[in-house]
Amino acid sequence: MVGQAQRISILETRVEGDTLVLSYNLEDAPRSQAYFIQIYALRGNDTLLLREVTGAVGDSIRSGTHEIVWLARKEWQRFRGKVTFYIKATPYFQITKPLNDTIIKRGVTFSVQWYGSNSQDKDLVIELYRYGAMLDTLAQVSNVTGFTWLVPDKIDPGPGYRFRVSDPSDPGIDKYSAAFTIHHKTPPITYIGPAAAVAGGLIWLLLRKPIEEAPDPFK
């Protein structure tokens, strides 16, 4: 059982050579909800998460009938005996905005957006990170699926920024956004001399301050 309106039932298991194929049905009243699916094996007193699996496991699985293929011989080379399986479905949560390589300018607003795991009914914390270090708690929000951030004028420009959206009371809602870059609102201008004249015109050299790259711990 995954909740009052969600239920998982295993329909069939069959052996095909060194693999096992398991069919299951995920019932879900709000069909728009997506789930994170994991399959476990009960072996004696041990509960083991199976990792050599393909098919309908992982992120963004929705209601319906699905199959999981377990590469049994690859994961357990010498095991013989009975195995009991069970499937766990956790409501899936993701940040949908910003996307990869988004550029955000200082002094303007940007909308952070998220989806899933009934997050619209939760009390969420939005934090700003850079290269794995938490810089600031931007807001605490309730009953929404987005937050509008006014980018400070004095925040350091450069890459490596991420948002984190989490619910301290629900470990299923804890996600970092894609990395984004902050740019100057207006590029700085460096002038060469009071006025450098060439062929009757003025030359203004536009230079950006070099950005010192740092490793991204999320990659």
Side-chain angles (χ1 to χ4, degrees), residues 10 13 20 22 39-42 50 70 72 76 83-87:
I10 295 178
T13 58
L20 181 138
L22 184 148
I39 180 171
Y40 292 81
L42 305 180
L50 300 182
W70 176 41
W76 295 349
V83 180
T84 301
F85 299 94
Y86 81 90
I87 298 172

Side-chain angles (χ1 to χ4, degrees), residues 9 11 19 37 46 57 70 76 79 89 93 96-97 101 105 121 134 148 157-158 162 169-170 206:
S9 53
L11 304 177
T19 67
I37 300 294
D46 298 325
V57 292
W70 176 41
W76 295 349
F79 175 76
F93 175 76
T96 58
K97 187 179 177 182
D101 301 322
K105 292 186 178 181
D121 300 324
M134 202 271 277
T148 299
R162 293 178 189 263
S169 66
D170 185 350
L206 304 181

